[in-house]
Amino acid sequence: MLEALGLAPAVESVYRALLREPRLSVAELSAELALPQTEVRSCLDRLVDIELLQVSRDAPGTLRPVSPEVGLELLLRRQEADLARRQQEVLRSKEAVARAVAEFADRREDSRSDQAERLVGLDAIQTRLEELARGLESECLGINPGGAQSQGALDASRPLDREALGRGVRIMSVYQDSARNDPPTLAYARWLTESGGQVRTMPMPPPRMVVFDRRVAIVPIDPENTRAGALCTRSPGIVASLVALFEQTWDAAVPLGADRRPEAGAEGIGGLSPVERQLLKLLASGLTDEAAGKRLGVSLRTVRRQMSGLMERLNATSRFEAGLKAAQRGWL
């Protein structure tokens, strides 16, 4: 009942018991309230601190409870004073923040205009995505490279996608082929298609992008460094170029429900899959196994396993020989 005044339930119970019988000892309070004696002593210390227990004049060395009329009124006044102090602190903090924001706005480089806005930090990006998603009217186009998507990103996207699909918005998303190997990402992609969205995959999609109603786009400032932030642009020329890139990517991608099959006309046992062809091209361009895996969104172990299989199919004893034979067969 008195928690609003800062009294924990156990402290209040000890105080009430002493108001009924001021001479109760620690052992008697412990037995009556079913509290450990250590907790009773802690409650007594707290009551002394807030002056609800004071030294008895009649029995020096003992404590007496202060009447509720006096003690609780004192607590209330202290609480009111503390509240007034905190309100003043909040007011001063607001004024300091306002001054800091104004000073920063005067000194920072232009980061926002009528057509472009730089978003720094995941919270700023997520906030803008939420705002744009709520304003969607007809279509949302997205490219999600990197294979497995973080659980945080998936959790943040689901309510936005559900709400947009419920309003009849068309959602078209392209993921990397390797996303099919990540259970959470694959489950999300399947949920999206079952809910009315469209999902396709490809070996090496372009950098991440989201385009809203072909009017606004969000792209990473540096695809290799997500900490650099994102750019939100309304520039018609830039948005049109991104839409054209998405459409080319979409045409080259494969629907989620379809299996990746070897390309027709490729030589060798069973031909090459798109991922194998991209892997050969990346390694032939000089990328390391680790860098190639990053571009394809697969693990280093997967790259080495696929390359080992290719060398076996080419009957090659070295990477160099495999490259020569792949070129001779027209695989590169």
Side-chain angles (χ1 to χ4, degrees):
M1 183 181 300
L2 300 180
E3 285 186 82
L5 292 177
L7 269 68
V11 176
E12 180 181 347
S13 297
V14 171
Y15 178 58
R16 287 177 176 274
L18 290 174
L19 287 174
R20 293 191 300 270
E21 180 52 61
R23 303 301 181 189
L24 289 175
S25 65
V26 171
E28 291 170 334
L29 285 169
S30 174
E32 180 176 331
L33 301 176
L35 293 174
Q37 291 191 23
T38 54
E39 186 173 358
V40 170
R41 290 191 178 92
S42 177
C43 292
L44 292 172
D45 290 341
R46 173 60 178 159
L47 290 170
V48 170
D49 290 340
I50 59 178
E51 299 182 22
L52 287 183
L53 282 183
Q54 295 182 357
V55 176
S56 173
R57 292 184 177 181
D58 295 329
T62 65
L63 298 172
R64 67 175 180 84
V66 176
S67 68
E69 292 83 356
V70 175
L72 299 184
E73 178 67 22
L74 178 62
L75 286 182
L76 184 59
R77 289 180 181 178
R78 287 177 180 173
Q79 194 173 63
E80 289 174 343
D82 185 57
L83 178 59
R85 178 184 55 79
R86 283 182 290 168
Q87 288 175 337
Q88 288 298 317
E89 290 177 352
V90 170
L91 181 59
R92 287 193 293 269
S93 297
K94 285 183 177 180
E95 293 172 349
V97 169
R99 289 195 299 269
V101 170
E103 182 179 354
F104 176 71
D106 291 338
R107 295 183 179 181
R108 67 181 177 178
E109 297 180 357
D110 289 341
S111 61
R112 181 169 186 171
S113 66
D114 291 339
Q115 295 187 336
E117 176 186 9
R118 179 174 179 174
L119 306 171
V120 180
L122 295 178
D123 287 343
I125 296 172
Q126 182 62 30
T127 297
R128 185 65 71 246
L129 287 171
E130 291 172 355
E131 292 172 354
L132 292 170
R134 284 194 292 268
L136 272 169
E137 296 177 1
S138 60
E139 184 183 71
C140 182
L141 313 176
I143 294 180
N144 306 279
Q149 306 294 300
S150 71
Q151 191 62 53
L154 297 176
D155 292 341
S157 297
R158 188 182 292 267
L160 300 178
D161 289 345
R162 181 187 294 114
E163 197 274 339
L165 289 168
R167 292 188 285 109
V169 173
R170 181 173 63 163
I171 295 180
M172 302 169 67
S173 296
V174 177
Y175 287 81
Q176 198 151 3
D177 277 346
S178 55
R180 297 169 180 259
N181 301 323
D182 180 66
T185 306
L186 181 60
Y188 184 88
R190 285 176 172 167
W191 168 82
L192 190 59
T193 57
E194 292 168 358
S195 301
Q198 301 178 59
V199 177
R200 294 187 179 185
T201 69
M202 67 182 309
M204 288 181 58
R208 189 177 304 275
M209 72 168 74
V210 187
V211 182
F212 301 85
D213 290 328
R214 305 196 173 211
R215 294 197 298 264
V216 187
I218 293 183
V219 295
I221 293 175
D222 181 357
E224 300 299 324
N225 179 18
T226 56
R227 293 173 180 260
L231 179 70
C232 178
T233 178
R234 299 175 183 272
S235 172
I238 296 177
V239 174
S241 298
L242 292 172
V243 170
L245 175 59
F246 177 87
E247 290 176 341
Q248 292 174 353
T249 303
W250 185 259
D251 290 340
V254 172
L256 181 66
D259 292 330
R260 281 283 183 189
R261 300 186 183 282
E263 294 179 3
E267 296 181 26
I269 302 174
L272 285 180
S273 71
V275 174
E276 290 171 336
R277 181 179 294 276
Q278 289 292 344
L279 175 59
L280 280 173
K281 289 181 178 179
L282 292 174
L283 295 178
S285 70
L287 290 184
T288 63
D289 289 358
E290 186 175 3
K294 186 176 180 180
R295 291 284 296 276
L296 291 169
V298 298
S299 66
L300 179 61
R301 179 181 297 180
T302 298
V303 170
R304 291 175 175 170
R305 175 176 53 79
Q306 290 179 340
M307 194 59 206
S308 177
L310 288 170
M311 290 177 63
E312 181 178 349
R313 289 162 61 182
L314 289 165
N315 194 26
T317 58
S318 68
R319 293 279 183 99
F320 179 75
E321 183 182 4
L324 288 177
K325 289 187 175 182
Q328 291 171 355
R329 297 191 184 193
W331 288 6
L332 293 174

